[in-house]
Amino acid sequence: MSVNWRNIGLFAAMGVVLLLTGAFQSWQLALTILNMSLISAIMALGVNMQWGYAGLFNVGIMGFTAVGGLAAVLIAMPPVGDAWAAGMIGSDQPWRFGIAGTLLGLMLGVATILAAVAVYKRMTPGRLRGAAIIGVIVAGWAVSRFFFAPATSAIQAVNPASEGYLGGLGLPVILAWPVGAVFAAGAAWVVGRISLGLRSDYLAIATLGISEIIIAILKHERWLARGVNNVTGIPRPVTRPVDLQPQPWVQELAARLGWTVPETAAILSALGYALLFTIVLAILIWLAEKALNSPWGRMMRAIRDNEVAARAMGKDVTRRHLNIFVLGSAVCGLAGAMMVSMDGQLTPGSYEPLRFTFLIWVMVIVGGSGNNWGAVLGAFVIWFLWVQVEPAGRWLMETVTANMDVGSELRRHLLDSAAYMRLLTMGVALLLVLRFSPRGLIPER
Amino acid sequence: MDPLSALITLTNFVLIPAFAYGSQLALGALGITLIYSILRFSHFAHGDIMAFGTMVVIYTTWALQSAGITGGGVLPTALMAIPVGIAAMVVYLLVVDRLVYRYFRQVKAKPLIFVMASLGVMFVTNGLTRLFIGTSERRFEDGQRFIFSVREFREWSGLAEGLALRSAQAITILAALLVMLALFWFLTRTKSGKSMRAYSDNEDLALLSGINPERVVVITWVIVAALVVTAGTLYGLDKGFRPINYFQLLLPMFAAAIVGGLGSPIGAIVGGYVVAFSEMGITYAWRRFFSHMLPEGMAPDGMMQLLPVDYKFAVTFAILVIVLIFRPTGIFRGKSI
């Protein structure tokens, strides 16, 4: 295996840029960028599996990361006992309330869909079948609402200012990472079953839709994760800076380095995350490289490059596509869970497709689709730009407006709009790479 | 039991709003379908292009208003600004085509590369719109607000239920109808329109018979500009202008185009109305309707709302999935590349 000095050089340059950020701006900023870059790199890795290995165009990344984030809440938050039993005590129909009613309602909902599918498959096509399907759906919907509606409204009424949801299982937050991956894989399986095998554009529209729906569910179903009220204070895998500050060794380190204690604690905490994320990323990239260079990976690329030929060789293209779609989405879900556990909060309102779907795409394309290292480098470069373009834009606008009247409307408008420079920059970066270097920074071998 | 009141409630809260919304979606979906059949890719920048064009219209409207030129207190001033918006968008789209898409046509890139490029255009356009006008909501509706209001209707008919028709809704429905008729006349009766249809049906044969592909592309962008600016302005008059809302129209517009059959103009229109009526119907609380329709004492106690309004995307998506499963080419048998 030859050592690729060019790629090592690119990564080294990125490292130097981050070090310079630390030296000239602040080490905390550099570490924040580093940590989010690592998470973005994992997302980009997931997208690269789908796009780079198999040519699948998934624009539902936001949904899969959000589902992963939900896992962090459901696994790590302490259970809200009152909500689990909400309305059950003293009721003559306890099965309509609390956790029992919610689960019954959900199970009946799933059973309805399965029944409708069964009717569709068993009955002969015709008007009768259509009527039967509609009947099953209407009846099933009414029955599941009968349990679901009173149960969830009772849960939401439990201490709504701080709780009003079921809470989680109170397990260690690290467990949420694999569980987040499993959640996203489940969602991806459903989407994939529906839309793979159809044209490539349809997958794009379907995933765009499912991601919006997932966000709508997270925002609206308050019994699940408090919806737009956000869940905060999710346990963290790394000791919080506040808890690090009183430690004698932290104070000693701060004194030796000449930094303030809070700053030292924040940097140590961020370093802890960086270490954890790097381990996860390293494992994933090792697995991804192994997979890419295995017979399975060669088959995937064969399918991507010529579907008809691969089909003629007896490969089940749709099934392989489903495999890789579920795998890639699981990786995105893992990254989503990691991000929520780093932030310590789940804020459904902050999930925007531009930030969580399309930005990841820019990373993959700029980095080099089909190459795992490319996706990682793309994530670092693009996230760095995303963070740094805003202050750069502000500086630019301040320079432009320096001679203007302080109270001028135009000056205020220009200064306010500096934040949107980053969208412009991302678009220009994507278009330039597509046009002049379509294989990206680190091309596929 | 009072079927008339039930019908009036339904018209007021579902039929009129859905008809207006459906017209806006249909115009947007027509643009998507045209780009798909001529340039052969899914245009993801459509929502943001729409926002950008509407922004030009808004600034022109403000300029006209401050110059004292208005719609005379009857029609919204924005209608006069639409031609300016269209002209600006024609220039913008042609420049984008020259800088971005033409290269990929020349190297015969795969459709998904075009989609990627349209993502880039989406980012740039989105950034420009926010840079120029910001993200907050802008209302630019002026002129007479109602054709008839709830109070006027009650006095005129003597009924308890009210019905209102907002000017923006009436203008939307009428304008959309006119634009659609003009488009169909163009596509079926003019030489350029016929050459577009020929190019869309069979590229090689069209080239063989001397149709200039670059000219077809230019015409397509001009029509798309007109459709997008009209749709965006009508939507803005009806519901107010916020860039993020226009971005989010992308999904229902695509759903409309696919449901109707990608590449089929009639399909795009029908799809627009199907999506709009389903969205409205499923997220509407039917209690009032049923309390009029059913005999006394049988009035439902629930809201009779199938899904909360937050799930309108889910409705769009469900229609899309149903069509994808049962009839992947859409209602009007669009093309499948």
Side-chain angles (χ1 to χ4, degrees), chain A residues 21-100:
Chain A
T21 310
F24 286 102
Q25 286 176 291
S26 82
W27 289 103
Q28 277 189 51
L29 177 68
L31 280 171
T32 321
I33 296 179
L34 174 68
N35 282 339
M36 204 55 220
S37 297
L38 287 167
I39 290 178
S40 305
I42 293 176
M43 291 184 194
L45 217 50
V47 176
N48 186 43
M49 287 178 187
Q50 297 174 340
W51 168 247
Y53 295 15
L56 297 177
F57 187 43
N58 168 13
V59 279
I61 307 162
M62 171 180 77
F64 298 119
T65 50
V67 166
L70 176 66
V73 173
L74 295 188
I75 292 295
M77 286 307 279
V80 181
D82 292 347
W84 284 50
M88 283 164 104
I89 302 147
S91 165
D92 51 345
Q93 295 171 312
W95 54 86
R96 278 184 74 189
F97 291 102
I99 184 83

Side-chain angles (χ1 to χ4, degrees), chain A residues 246-263:
Chain A
Q247 305 272 2
W249 65 273
V250 175
Q251 292 178 346
E252 199 177 302
L253 189 69
R256 189 174 300 166
L257 291 169
W259 294 342
T260 63
V261 178
E263 194 187 356

Side-chain angles (χ1 to χ4, degrees), chain A residues 55-366:
Chain A
L56 297 177
F57 187 43
N58 168 13
V59 279
I61 307 162
M62 171 180 77
F64 298 119
T65 50
V67 166
L70 176 66
V73 173
L74 295 188
I75 292 295
M77 286 307 279
V80 181
D82 292 347
W84 284 50
M88 283 164 104
I89 302 147
S91 165
D92 51 345
Q93 295 171 312
W95 54 86
R96 278 184 74 189
F97 291 102
I99 184 83
T102 314
L103 287 182
L104 259 173
L106 283 179
M107 284 194 288
L108 283 167
V110 173
T112 306
I113 296 172
L114 292 180
V117 171
V119 168
Y120 173 69
K121 282 195 176 149
R122 293 285 168 80
M123 286 176 72
T124 45
R127 287 226 179 112
L128 194 64
R129 184 174 77 169
I133 290 176
I134 292 174
V136 165
I137 289 176
V138 169
W141 185 84
V143 173
S144 51
R145 280 307 282 189
F146 176 76
F147 291 98
F148 195 66
T152 52
S153 55
I155 290 169
Q156 286 165 12
V158 174
N159 195 5
S162 60
E163 287 164 347
Y165 75 121
L166 285 171
L169 298 173
L171 297 170
V173 72
I174 289 282
L175 250 175
W177 297 3
V179 174
V182 172
F183 277 16
W189 188 81
V190 174
V191 185
R193 277 305 296 265
I194 296 172
S195 46
L196 287 169
L198 295 165
R199 275 215 315 267
S200 53
D201 308 46
Y202 281 177
L203 179 69
I205 310 296
T207 46
L208 187 69
I210 201 83
S211 68
E212 293 285 358
I213 293 175
I214 289 173
I215 300 301
I217 291 175
L218 281 183
K219 277 184 183 167
H220 186 78
E221 301 297 327
R222 280 180 293 136
W223 57 273
L224 183 63
R226 302 198 71 225
V228 284
N229 298 333
N230 304 339
V231 176
T232 50
I234 299 172
R236 291 162 200 248
V238 175
T239 320
R240 288 184 308 160
V242 187
D243 300 327
L244 274 177
Q245 283 177 29
Q247 305 272 2
W249 65 273
V250 175
Q251 292 178 346
E252 199 177 302
L253 189 69
R256 189 174 300 166
L257 291 169
W259 294 342
T260 63
V261 178
E263 194 187 356
T264 318
I267 287 173
L268 281 172
S269 182
L271 273 175
Y273 281 113
L275 187 66
L276 269 182
F277 294 165
T278 312
I279 293 172
V280 175
L281 181 63
I283 294 173
L284 279 177
I285 218 170
W286 182 75
L287 287 174
E289 284 287 294
K290 278 277 170 211
L292 189 63
N293 296 317
S294 69
W296 179 83
R298 281 192 290 277
M299 173 180 67
M300 282 300 176
R301 280 174 290 163
I303 291 176
R304 178 195 66 190
D305 292 337
N306 193 336
E307 235 174 74
V308 181
R311 223 184 276 273
M313 298 291 289
K315 304 298 177 199
D316 188 344
V317 173
T318 313
R319 265 193 95 80
R320 295 287 86 76
H321 275 171
L322 187 62
N323 282 356
I324 198 109
F325 185 67
V326 167
L327 265 180
S329 304
V331 172
C332 291
L334 170 71
M338 289 163 65
M339 191 185 72
V340 167
S341 64
M342 179 175 78
D343 295 342
Q345 55 181 355
L346 178 69
T347 52
S350 68
Y351 285 85
E352 271 187 57
L354 275 177
R355 156 72 183 86
F356 282 95
T357 297
F358 296 115
L359 191 65
I360 310 296
W361 268 105
V362 179
M363 292 170 181
V364 174
I365 300 294
V366 169

Side-chain angles (χ1 to χ4, degrees), chain A residues 51 55-57 59 120 129 133 141 145 191 194-195 198-202 204-210 212-213 216-221 304-305 352-355 358-359 361-362 365 386 397 413 417-424 426-428 430-431 434-436 438, chain B residues 36 41-42 44 59 99-100 103-104 110-113 115-128 130-135 138 244 247-248 250-251 254-255 258 262 305-308 310-311 313-314 317-318 320-321 324-326 328-330 335-337:
Chain A
W51 168 247
L56 297 177
F57 187 43
V59 279
Y120 173 69
R129 184 174 77 169
I133 290 176
W141 185 84
R145 280 307 282 189
V191 185
I194 296 172
S195 46
L198 295 165
R199 275 215 315 267
S200 53
D201 308 46
Y202 281 177
I205 310 296
T207 46
L208 187 69
I210 201 83
E212 293 285 358
I213 293 175
I217 291 175
L218 281 183
K219 277 184 183 167
H220 186 78
E221 301 297 327
R304 178 195 66 190
D305 292 337
E352 271 187 57
L354 275 177
R355 156 72 183 86
F358 296 115
L359 191 65
W361 268 105
V362 179
I365 300 294
W386 181 258
M397 289 298 181
H413 183 85
S417 53
Y420 308 117
M421 290 290 286
R422 46 162 65 159
L423 294 171
L424 211 63
M426 293 304 127
V428 171
L430 177 61
L431 288 175
L434 275 178
R435 171 75 173 75
F436 295 106
Chain B
Y36 190 83
F41 71 94
S42 306
F44 269 75
Y59 273 122
L99 290 179
V100 180
Y103 168 77
F104 296 111
K110 286 183 195 160
L112 277 180
I113 301 298
V115 175
M116 296 289 167
S118 81
L119 289 186
V121 175
M122 179 187 88
F123 264 107
V124 171
T125 317
N126 194 310
L128 284 177
R130 290 173 191 215
L131 207 60
F132 287 135
I133 201 165
T135 49
R138 310 274 173 179
I244 183 80
F247 175 75
Q248 287 180 333
L250 194 62
L251 184 64
F254 261 113
I258 291 178
L262 258 181
Q305 188 180 21
L306 285 169
L307 274 180
D310 309 57
Y311 288 135
F313 287 126
F317 184 70
L320 194 63
V321 166
L324 286 185
I325 292 175
F326 295 106
T329 47
K335 60 178 74 190
S336 186
I337 293 174

Side-chain angles (χ1 to χ4, degrees), chain A residues 350-407:
Chain A
S350 68
Y351 285 85
E352 271 187 57
L354 275 177
R355 156 72 183 86
F356 282 95
T357 297
F358 296 115
L359 191 65
I360 310 296
W361 268 105
V362 179
M363 292 170 181
V364 174
I365 300 294
V366 169
S369 42
N371 190 314
N372 293 317
W373 293 103
V376 172
L377 182 67
F380 273 81
V381 171
I382 292 298
W383 185 255
F384 182 81
L385 280 180
W386 181 258
V387 175
Q388 296 287 22
V389 159
E390 196 180 330
R394 181 149 296 132
W395 174 83
L396 181 77
M397 289 298 181
E398 269 164 14
T399 321
V400 169
T401 57
N403 293 329
M404 285 189 197
D405 184 15
V406 179

